[in-house]
Each structure stands twice: as structure tokens, then as C-alpha cells.
Amino acid sequence: MARIETTSKAVLDVFRYRPDEDSEPRFERFEVPFHEDWVVLDALHYIKDHLDGTLSYRWSCRMGICGSCGMMIDGEPKLSCSVFLRDYYPRPIRVEPLANFPVVRDLVINLEDFLDKLGQVKAWLIPKEPREAADGEYKQTPGELAHYRQYSMCINCMLCYSACPVYAKHPEFVGPAAIALAQRYNLDSRDAGFDERADAIFSHEGIWECTFVGDCTRVCPKHVDPAGAIQQAKVTATNDWFWSLLVPWGKRRSRAPAHEQNGGAAAGHRDAQQDQLVSSQSK
Amino acid sequence: MAVHATHDLTREYRRTVPSTWWLKRRTYFLFMLRELTALFVGGYAAFLLVLLLLDQATFASVLKSPVSLVLHLIALPMVIYHSVTWINLTPKVLVIWRGEEQVSPTLILLVHYAAWGVISLAILGLAIWLCGGKTI
């Protein structure tokens, strides 16, 4: 389809950081053609194709499902493929890399910490019994699906980590998406990994670090509600703790909050778990 | 081998968090306000306990003093803000399933507000009854 050419320009102030040349980042102003149907990602493509080929940023699907193009747009964590220029025009738009992560170059952040955390909470299905493909589908009722469906919508875009002031101050916090994804599997009727995830989630660095600011939920492009997931896990842990007082011989489903206040022991345990993960990856 | 970055980690740029971070976004500010108002909730509870140690005449004169009036005018909106924000968050924490259906978050909210109203009225009624219907 032929595009109607426009004479008006949208202005972007883009965060630039070149690790080989700069010691400090700077902002560079670019003018791109203004189109009603252009998103910020389109403008970045224009800059890269026509103005400065060295601009670095991550993107993939352009339709809000891959979770690659998260950036700070005027200070708010957003998917740059889902933010229209027209909502800011004619004001300049400030584009920065996702907050709370180290910057590798320009708009590219180092996301390894998040990937480590997904490993810590074992954000994958740990089946109740070994199953083969020949056993057929692992069936579930619509009701069972409803319990975790919302959390399964997470696309790992890390906007929630960028919005979280707790993660900003305490990077050891397991964080919104990883805990929501742990809950996604904990609440799955086919899963039996609750105990394996307990040390990472029901710990001081896990749910008890969260102060319920709730901004993770507000910025989530997929309406996952990580803040809700964390608070509900707190309820589970607290109920278990009281239950363990009343019935000390009963089986506890999570670690008690008081028990986990011992940060050193918990961290040590997690290191061991991490080593285990690393060694299993190296095999 | 674990997955390691292939770039030089020391050249990564790390942004710092200013101590004024909570002024940068409205939601952060409202959160800090919610946390701050907890001091007034706790403080007022302590104030009430101290009042109960006094005899009835001192109790009445302390409450009638201008300082007490000003403190009440400050504490009341703080405690109301804390209660409202607290109750508004309950549907996120309290998720109840009735079979395959989730109990409506609005219903959970309404039940909490109703309980707040009923309990407040009951305490007011109790206070009036204890005073024998006359104001102190």
C-alpha cells in the first residue's frame, strides 16, 4: 500500500551509550517522518535505516507478543511496538533502555539476571509422574486452567522489573515476573514442583521482599498481575505457618516466613541451587 | 558451561537510583503515602492505649485540648486513606474460587467496605452507650 507522505516530523531523544567510546551515556535527538500509524519501534527502524545505522535495540515480532522491545518511553516501561507516536506528538519522545538493568549498548540491556531468576524458581512444568508422548494429552478441566491461565500470559518482557522500585534498590529480589511464573506452575493441576520452588519463592529475597507497590501489575502489557500473584503466595505461606503452629506434625506446603528471615542461610541455599542449575546446564 | 555474556561486563553502564525515586512517579508517591499513613494508624492506637490509663476527667480534658483536636484532624484523613487503600488491595490478595468460578473482586471489595462500616458504627454505638448517652 502506498504511504501518504508526510511533511511533519516526530522528534525522539534517544539514549545512546557506546561502551567502546563513551564513559557516560548521552541523549541524541532524531527527527523522523510523522505518521499516524507509526509506533516508536517504527521510528527506531527509520533512524537505523536512514539516519544512524549504529543505533542498537532489540525487537522481533512487532505485535506485542515476543517481549523483546521493552523500553522506557518518556520514563514509563512500555513495549515500543505498542506505543504510537501520535500519543506524544508534537512533544519530543524520550526513549531509554529498560530501567533497573545494566546497559550493554544504546537501548540494549543485560537481561541475564532475569534469566537466572527464571532458573531459580524453576519456571517450567515439573510433572507429577513421568509421561511419554504415547500416554496422550495431559488433560485439564476449564476450571483447572482458569486457576493459572492469567499468569501463563507472561511474555518475559521485563517491564515489571523496570517498574519495581524494590528490584531497583535490591537486585537480589526474585522479582514480579519470576514469582508470577512460579505461581503459574504451582497452580497448575499437572505440576508437582511446589516443594522444589519453595526455597526460592517463600524466602526473604522472594515474596517477603515485595512491599506491594503494585506498579508491576500496572505496567504489564499482558495483564498478568504479578503483584496479585506475590500477595497470594504470601497468604499461602502465612496460612501454612499458622497451620504448622497448630498442627506441628502436619505437612507444610511452604517454608514459614519467620524461618526464612534468616537471609544468610536462605541465600547460601540458593547459591547451592544455582550451582546445581549451572552444572546441569553444563552437562 | 553456564551461559555467560560474551561482552565486557565492566563496560556495562549501571544507572543509579536517586533517593527521590518516589517523587518520580505518581504511583510511587501514593505508595509511600500509604506506607507513611501506617505510622498514624499505629500512633493513634498507642494514643488510645495511653488515654485508657487516665481517669475520666483527665481523659476528657486531654481530648478537648486544641492539640488533641489538631492531631485528630491530621490523623483522621491519614487513617481513612490507609483504610481505603488497604481495602482496595484486598481483591488482589483474596482470590476465592467457588467451584470453577472465581468470586467477583467487586463483591469482595463490597463485603470489606460493608464490614468496615458496620464495625465503625458498632464501636460508635458502644462508645455512646458507655458514656450513658451524654457527651463528655
Side-chain angles (χ1 to χ4, degrees), chain A residues 1-265:
Chain A
M1 195 181 81
R3 179 178 297 285
I4 300 159
E5 269 315 310
T6 169
T7 49
S8 37
K9 298 273 184 191
V11 179
L12 280 87
D13 287 327
V14 183
F15 181 102
R16 301 301 306 266
Y17 175 66
R18 295 164 303 172
D20 301 330
E21 296 138 69
D22 308 335
S23 57
E24 287 289 315
R26 63 198 161 85
F27 279 89
E28 192 169 352
R29 178 160 284 198
F30 294 102
E31 288 191 356
V32 301
F34 173 74
H35 296 287
E36 277 283 323
D37 57 354
W38 267 22
V39 290
V40 169
L41 188 62
D42 291 320
L44 294 175
H45 288 337
Y46 183 90
I47 295 170
K48 192 162 178 81
D49 290 345
H50 297 101
L51 304 175
D52 186 347
T54 67
L55 179 69
S56 302
Y57 54 98
R58 284 199 184 99
W59 65 282
S60 179
C61 77
R62 297 173 295 138
M63 50 193 278
I65 196 63
C66 76
S68 311
C69 71
M71 293 167 199
M72 305 302 286
I73 312 288
D74 266 5
E76 278 281 307
K78 286 180 188 289
L79 297 178
S80 57
C81 68
S82 310
V83 183
F84 285 95
L85 296 180
R86 61 172 186 248
D87 293 333
Y88 299 83
Y89 185 79
R91 282 189 298 117
I93 306 171
R94 201 175 165 89
V95 185
E96 292 166 88
L98 276 183
N100 304 340
F101 290 97
V103 181
V104 177
R105 183 188 180 90
D106 293 343
L107 300 169
V108 178
I109 50 128
N110 182 346
L111 46 80
E112 265 185 83
D113 185 50
F114 173 61
L115 297 180
D116 280 350
K117 280 164 178 165
L118 283 181
Q120 281 170 25
V121 302
K122 304 198 176 187
W124 51 81
L125 193 85
I126 300 171
K128 278 186 174 151
E129 69 266 2
R131 284 178 72 92
E132 302 292 332
D135 298 333
E137 305 95 326
Y138 216 153
K139 284 183 180 161
Q140 209 164 39
T141 66
E144 286 167 337
L145 172 70
H147 276 80
Y148 71 84
R149 189 172 180 277
Q150 181 181 20
Y151 306 130
S152 74
M153 294 301 177
C154 175
I155 56 171
N156 299 345
C157 66
M158 296 169 288
L159 298 195
C160 53
Y161 282 77
S162 268
C164 177
V166 177
Y167 182 65
K169 287 277 182 193
H170 307 281
E172 67 278 8
F173 176 38
V174 176
I179 297 177
L181 282 167
Q183 280 290 87
R184 176 253 173 274
Y185 292 101
N186 279 345
L187 297 172
D188 191 321
S189 59
R190 302 163 299 180
D191 184 272
F194 193 101
D195 292 339
E196 288 185 48
R197 294 184 196 104
D199 281 344
I201 305 168
F202 301 108
S203 63
H204 185 69
E205 294 82 7
I207 54 174
W208 301 109
E209 190 85 79
C210 170
T211 53
F212 205 175
V213 181
D215 233 32
C216 50
T217 293
R218 188 179 63 85
V219 302
C220 178
K222 294 289 159 189
H223 312 292
V224 169
D225 190 11
I230 297 173
Q231 311 324 309
Q232 287 153 39
K234 285 180 185 172
V235 173
T236 307
T238 309
N239 282 347
D240 272 22
W241 185 74
F242 278 113
W243 194 241
S244 72
L245 284 184
L246 294 171
V247 191
W249 57 88
K251 187 182 180 303
R252 281 151 63 186
R253 291 213 65 210
S254 70
R255 299 277 292 271
H259 183 82
E260 282 298 327
Q261 293 305 317
N262 183 352

Side-chain angles (χ1 to χ4, degrees), chain B residues 106-118:
Chain B
T106 318
L107 181 67
I108 289 173
L109 207 57
L110 288 176
V111 167
H112 275 84
Y113 273 111
W116 186 28
V118 167

Side-chain angles (χ1 to χ4, degrees), chain A residues 267-283:
Chain A
H269 189 91
R270 226 174 47 189
D271 286 347
Q273 216 179 22
Q274 193 61 20
D275 291 347
Q276 217 175 12
L277 182 77
V278 169
S279 66
S280 68
Q281 280 174 342
S282 59
K283 277 171 197 161

